[in-house]
Amino acid sequence: MTDPLALVTLAVAAAGGRMAGHDSGSLVAAGHTLLQRSAVLVRALTTLRSAVWLPTGGPWLTALAASDGRGALLLDPQLSGIAVADRCAREGVGALFTVAPLARAADTALASELIQIWLDDAPVSAAVISRDGDRRVERRIDLGAHFGIDLAGDTATEGRDEPFVHVDGGWHTHRALLAAARTHAAVQGLTPVHWMPPTSHWTLDGLVHQVGMLLQGGTITHGDAPAA
C-alpha cells in the first residue's frame, strides 16, 4: 500500500503547521471533504486536471488536496481572465479553484463548461459553480464537518514519483517537491517556532519555501506576526 504521506498535502497536514489562521490539517481535510461532497467536481477531474488561481494564503492548500492526486496548474493571480481561460483550454483543465473576486472579474472570459470552485470561505465552506444547460448553478458545500484522513505513515518518505504541480513552466512531482522543501528547511534551519508571511505559491521558490515551513510545523500568516 502506498504511504499516504507520499502525497505533499498529507505530509504537510501531518506536520502540524498553520496557515492564515488555520492548522494545515484542517485546510487539507477541507479539500478531501469538498471532493467527497461534490459529484460535479469528481466528474470534472475524472479525465481532466485542475488549475489553482488564488491569491496568497491558505486556500491553495485546500485546492491541491481537492485535486485528488491529479497534477494541478498553479496560476499567477495577476493573470487576466483571458490568459487564464487560454491556459485552461490548452492544458485540459476541468476545474478551476479560485475566489469570487477573481472569478467575477473574469466571468465573460472563462468557458461555461469549466467548473469553478470558490474558496473564499475555506476551510469552512466552498461554492461550486457549474452549468446545467444555459442555467448557472451555484451550490454551497459545507466543509466544517471534515471526513477523517489517514495521516499515519513515514514522515521521511521520498514521495510519489508522479506529477503534483505545474509551476515555472514545468511539472514537479511529489517526490521532487518534498525533497526540495526538506532541503530548504534544513538549510534555513526552520523549526516549529518559525513563522513567515505568505509567498507566491505560483512560483517554485515560493511554493518550496512555504511547504518547507509547513513540513517543520511552522506558521504562515497574513500579518506581521503569527496569531497568539
Side-chain angles (χ1 to χ4, degrees):
M1 180 180 293
T2 302
D3 190 325
L5 302 193
L7 296 176
V8 172
T9 52
L10 292 183
V12 165
R18 293 182 62 81
M19 179 183 287
H22 302 284
D23 65 89
S24 55
S26 293
L27 290 164
V28 170
H32 286 264
T33 301
L34 173 59
L35 190 65
Q36 294 183 53
R37 293 182 176 176
S38 177
V40 169
L41 176 58
V42 172
R43 287 195 296 270
L45 294 178
T46 299
T47 58
L48 300 171
R49 65 177 76 260
S50 69
V52 179
W53 189 36
L54 290 165
T56 54
W60 63 263
L61 192 52
T62 298
L64 291 180
S67 294
D68 191 31
R70 290 191 170 273
L73 277 69
L74 301 185
L75 304 176
D76 188 335
Q78 297 300 316
L79 287 175
S80 68
I82 293 175
V84 169
D86 179 65
R87 284 291 306 279
C88 289
R90 286 190 289 111
E91 301 291 346
V93 170
L96 177 66
F97 293 91
T98 186
V99 287
L102 288 177
R104 287 173 176 148
D107 184 54
T108 57
L110 299 177
S112 61
E113 65 270 19
L114 183 66
I115 305 301
Q116 298 178 34
I117 303 93
W118 296 358
L119 296 176
D120 305 69
D121 300 318
V124 177
S125 65
V128 177
I129 315 300
S130 60
R131 306 286 298 189
D132 182 5
D134 294 331
R135 186 168 64 94
R136 180 177 180 275
V137 178
E138 178 175 339
R139 183 186 176 200
R140 178 67 57 175
I141 307 293
D142 177 20
L143 305 178
H146 305 304
F147 285 81
I149 51 177
D150 183 5
L151 297 180
D154 180 6
T155 57
T157 181
E158 289 186 341
R160 289 188 188 178
D161 191 21
E162 60 184 40
F164 174 50
V165 291
H166 188 282
V167 59
D168 286 354
W171 284 104
H172 301 270
T173 64
H174 292 269
R175 181 175 299 177
L177 189 60
L178 284 171
R182 287 167 178 157
T183 298
H184 176 77
V187 169
Q188 297 296 319
L190 301 179
T191 71
V193 302
H194 285 96
W195 64 273
M196 60 173 284
T199 57
S200 51
H201 59 267
W202 56 92
T203 69
L204 184 58
D205 286 347
L207 184 63
V208 165
H209 189 31
Q210 292 184 101
V211 172
M213 176 69 76
L214 294 172
L215 284 175
Q216 300 307 308
T219 297
I220 299 172
T221 177
H222 281 302
D224 295 329

